[in-house]
Amino acid sequence: MNESRKKRPPRLRVIVFVFIVLIATIPMISVSLVLINSAFDREIESGKSELSGQVLILANQLQADDYVSHYITSDKNVAIEQIADIWGGRIQITNAGCKVLVDTYGLDISRYNISEYVLTALSGQSVNYLDEQSMTLVLSQPIYNSEEKELVVPLEELADGQEPEYRSKIDGVILVTVDMSRRTTTLTGISSQMYLLWIAAACLIILIVFLVMVRLFRPFGRIVSEIDAAVEGTSKRISVRSYLEFSRISDAVGRLITRINSLDESRQEFVSNVSHELKTPITSMRVLADTINTMEDVPPETYREFMRDISGELDREGRIIDDLLSISRLEAGRVDLSVSQVNLNEWIESVLRRVSPIAKASGIDLLFESFRPVSAEIDEIKLTLALTNIVENAIKYNKEGGWIKVSLNSDHHYFFIKIEDSGIGIPKEAMPHLFERFYRVDKDRSRESGGTGLGLSIAKQIVNLHHGAIRAYSELGEGTTFVIRIPLEYHEKELSLQQEASDEEDS
Ligand code: ADP
């Protein structure tokens, strides 16, 4: 329930699609918007200056004709009508008392227009104002009297010592109201056509990007279904190689599948080996027990002999179980090393002392050669198990009257333990499998000597935990040499890296 409610991650193809569409359309729309807006502005500005030029000329003409002071109702001024017609606007002429003398709309004649535009013009300032919402341009222009003058500031308002200033007397005002949207009709038409163009272009872009996306992302779907097929086991290879990146993914997934398969195989092999190994002593014990049960009047000697054999098989079973437990703990990585600074010379001597009775019993000389005193950070108990396994092998697989030489050396970073023997040696083809669980070159000999086939595998795991490496060199019939290399200082973090490196080296 919770799983299904989990937020699904976004689809890459949707993100890329939206991104490309935006990148393709935003610049197109914004550039054309900027262009059309500046075209509108330019058109309005040129209209404003053209109209104010014409109104100024008209004002000068009316001034020259003394139009306002000599106005009589029947007067018709052609210039006024013309300008109003050309611009499709309204022109009013008022006298200095704000009374409308001329109105091209004929609505306000003889009424008073005391709008702020008229009043501003009467104070000597022309107005040029565009109402952007209604696109209405209002122009007001004073009409001066060519002869009479008047004070700019009335005498009574003059400050002390201020010279009176004169200007031409204002007879009246030209007030023009023009609807500028007429002038920008063409541009409005162009811009609405442009909207259509945008929609068409956007649709085209969306279609093209969609088709490209489908083509580009098709291999993603294929790679997923091929991985699914490989996971289900119906196919072993991923063959999507449309892009270099996919080739790499295919190769990596291929490697992963091979590894999973080999892990699976080795797990199955391990389970069947374990069952087999555990069954062998049980079978022997059953045979021994059945034999003794079917025998009549068995002398106590024979009973004892059979019981000794059964006890030996029990020991063997116990050893196998112990080794299995160690290996499973080591492999699960659940083992914490308890590392301490150890004098290696003394440590090796004590290990050899413990195995020397077995060597002596087999008539084998056990030598220890140390090049210098070495001390390192190790888990003494675990490394003792590893070294004992190797030295015991050197005894088990040795010849009568043979020898074993253990030597210790070091450099700045590592210490090296070499275990050489004069034993039976290992055939070349067996070398790559030596550290595998349950691998034994000679099964009978191993079993006879109490081997479980797990000793070297355990030794390798322990050396790996110390971030070290173990190698074997052997000459069939002449002897075998194992070399262990471990860092003098233990660093916990190096574990995975070094382990991988040493695994690679080993292989
Ligand atoms: P085992 O319990 O059988 O000794 P190991 O894992 O310790 O298992 O060793 C694996 C196999 O490697 C042995 O069965 C043996 O055939 C071979 N081997 C190990 N050490 C030596 C050695 N020093 N000389 C010859 N063969 C060896």
Side-chain angles (χ1 to χ4, degrees):
M1 191 70 184
N2 259 349
E3 280 294 304
S4 63
R5 267 197 211 154
K6 255 192 196 166
K7 217 176 137 209
R8 264 171 62 153
R11 277 168 174 255
L12 180 63
R13 72 177 75 183
V14 175
I15 295 174
V16 176
F17 177 78
V18 172
F19 189 68
I20 297 181
V21 168
L22 289 182
I23 289 225
T25 49
I26 287 179
M28 173 184 83
I29 293 177
S30 42
V31 165
S32 49
L33 267 181
V34 168
L35 284 180
I36 205 99
N37 277 342
S38 73
F40 264 101
D41 289 348
R42 259 184 287 123
E43 191 59 34
I44 300 265
E45 277 313 309
S46 80
K48 265 176 161 179
S49 59
E50 205 178 309
L51 182 60
S52 55
Q54 287 178 11
V55 170
L56 194 65
I57 292 169
L58 177 66
N60 288 339
Q61 230 176 55
L62 298 181
Q63 178 183 349
D65 296 349
D66 232 348
Y67 182 79
V68 178
S69 2
H70 296 107
Y71 178 77
I72 37 173
T73 333
S74 57
D75 265 8
K76 266 237 180 251
N77 189 308
V78 186
I80 298 173
E81 296 294 334
Q82 253 180 7
I83 294 174
D85 279 352
I86 292 169
W87 290 86
R90 180 182 191 181
I91 299 181
Q92 290 181 343
I93 311 277
T94 68
N95 64 15
C98 299
K99 186 174 174 188
V100 179
L101 306 178
V102 177
D103 181 358
T104 51
Y105 280 15
L107 301 173
D108 288 342
I109 290 173
S110 300
R111 290 197 189 145
Y112 288 88
N113 184 340
I114 48 165
S115 67
E116 59 176 306
Y117 308 114
V118 174
L119 296 176
T120 314
L122 283 174
S123 72
Q125 280 170 9
S126 51
V127 176
N128 190 338
Y129 167 74
L130 175 76
D131 177 11
E132 289 192 358
Q133 239 157 16
S134 60
M135 288 300 283
T136 309
L137 177 66
V138 185
L139 272 175
S140 64
Q141 173 69 39
I143 307 167
Y144 293 101
N145 190 303
S146 38
E147 281 150 23
E148 290 178 46
K149 301 272 179 200
E150 65 180 5
L151 280 162
V152 176
V153 182
L155 281 175
E156 57 274 18
E157 288 174 23
L158 275 181
D160 282 348
Q162 191 185 349
E163 284 293 314
E165 208 184 309
Y166 292 92
R167 67 171 174 210
S168 298
K169 185 178 164 231
I170 296 172
D171 276 348
V173 169
I174 305 175
L175 178 69
V176 185
T177 317
V178 170
D179 179 8
M180 287 303 272
S181 58
R182 279 182 50 167
R183 202 177 160 93
T184 53
T185 337
T186 341
L187 281 176
T188 316
I190 291 176
S191 66
S192 55
Q193 273 175 7
M194 210 170 62
Y195 291 132
L196 285 178
L197 212 70
W198 280 351
I199 295 171
C203 289
L204 197 70
I205 288 171
I206 289 174
L207 184 73
I208 292 173
V209 175
F210 178 75
L211 293 177
V212 172
M213 284 291 108
V214 169
R215 187 152 166 55
L216 212 64
F217 279 84
R218 193 175 297 144
F220 275 99
R222 282 219 313 272
I223 204 164
V224 171
S225 46
E226 286 198 18
I227 291 175
D228 281 344
V231 170
E232 281 162 18
T234 44
S235 132
K236 283 209 166 161
R237 284 193 65 241
I238 314 276
S239 56
V240 181
R241 313 220 153 248
S242 331
Y243 311 114
L244 179 64
E245 289 79 0
F246 282 177
S247 288
R248 289 188 181 147
I249 293 177
S250 301
D251 292 344
V253 173
R255 284 197 297 276
L256 181 70
I257 290 169
T258 318
R259 178 137 174 72
I260 291 172
N261 285 344
S262 84
L263 281 179
D264 202 38
E265 274 166 27
S266 82
R267 190 183 56 84
Q268 281 170 6
E269 196 187 304
F270 180 64
V271 171
S272 79
N273 280 339
V274 167
S275 331
H276 177 75
E277 293 299 327
L278 290 177
K279 242 175 124 181
T280 317
I282 291 176
T283 318
S284 310
M285 285 189 275
R286 156 150 301 153
V287 172
L288 287 167
D290 286 351
T291 317
I292 207 152
N293 274 342
T294 50
M295 284 163 76
E296 277 174 27
D297 299 330
V298 188
E301 295 298 283
T302 319
Y303 258 120
R304 238 174 260 127
E305 200 182 310
F306 271 74
M307 288 321 282
R308 249 200 319 275
D309 287 350
I310 289 179
S311 159
E313 289 301 328
L314 281 171
D315 279 350
R316 216 172 113 63
E317 187 89 23
R319 263 200 312 279
I320 296 175
I321 291 171
D322 284 348
D323 279 359
L324 278 173
L325 284 176
S326 317
I327 212 155
S328 85
R329 263 188 242 118
L330 287 168
E331 284 198 352
R334 266 185 276 123
V335 181
D336 287 329
L337 289 192
S338 76
V339 174
S340 60
Q341 195 72 34
V342 174
N343 178 328
L344 297 185
N345 306 64
E346 286 175 12
W347 165 64
I348 294 179
E349 272 169 22
S350 79
V351 173
L352 297 186
R353 218 174 297 127
R354 236 173 288 149
V355 291
S356 68
I358 323 171
K360 217 173 260 168
S362 314
I364 291 163
D365 269 350
L366 191 53
L367 306 164
F368 174 47
E369 184 182 34
S370 163
F371 291 90
R372 56 179 61 99
V374 185
S375 123
E377 290 174 355
I378 58 163
D379 181 326
E380 195 177 336
I381 295 177
K382 292 205 180 61
L383 219 48
T384 300
L385 177 63
L387 186 59
T388 312
N389 282 348
I390 296 170
V391 177
E392 277 179 359
N393 279 349
I395 300 171
K396 280 191 289 186
Y397 305 106
N398 219 316
K399 296 173 189 160
E400 268 290 320
W403 53 262
I404 298 168
K405 194 167 101 187
V406 179
S407 57
L408 170 68
N409 205 349
S410 72
D411 62 15
H412 290 304
H413 300 291
Y414 298 97
F415 69 85
F416 306 89
I417 304 173
K418 204 189 225 184
I419 304 105
E420 292 169 82
D421 66 53
S422 60
I424 57 170
I426 301 163
K428 266 201 172 53
E429 62 277 11
M431 294 301 281
H433 308 286
L434 213 55
F435 296 97
E436 287 172 12
R437 293 168 300 196
F438 295 116
Y439 182 78
R440 285 171 285 202
V441 179
D442 180 346
K443 279 200 166 54
D444 294 337
R445 180 162 182 156
S446 161
R447 232 175 244 132
E448 264 168 38
S449 54
T452 59
L454 295 170
L456 284 183
S457 171
I458 292 175
K460 184 173 187 250
Q461 295 278 355
I462 293 173
V463 172
N464 279 350
L465 281 176
H466 283 82
H467 314 155
I470 180 166
R471 285 195 182 169
Y473 309 88
S474 187
E475 201 63 55
L476 196 59
E478 291 195 8
T480 306
T481 302
F482 283 89
V483 181
I484 298 173
R485 186 199 70 184
I486 289 178
L488 292 168
E489 279 176 35
Y490 175 78
H491 293 292
E492 218 159 296
K493 278 182 194 152
E494 285 173 33
L495 180 67
S496 51
L497 282 176
Q498 290 234 350
Q499 203 156 310
E500 273 169 26
S502 74
D503 282 349
E504 264 165 38
E505 263 178 38
D506 292 345
S507 64

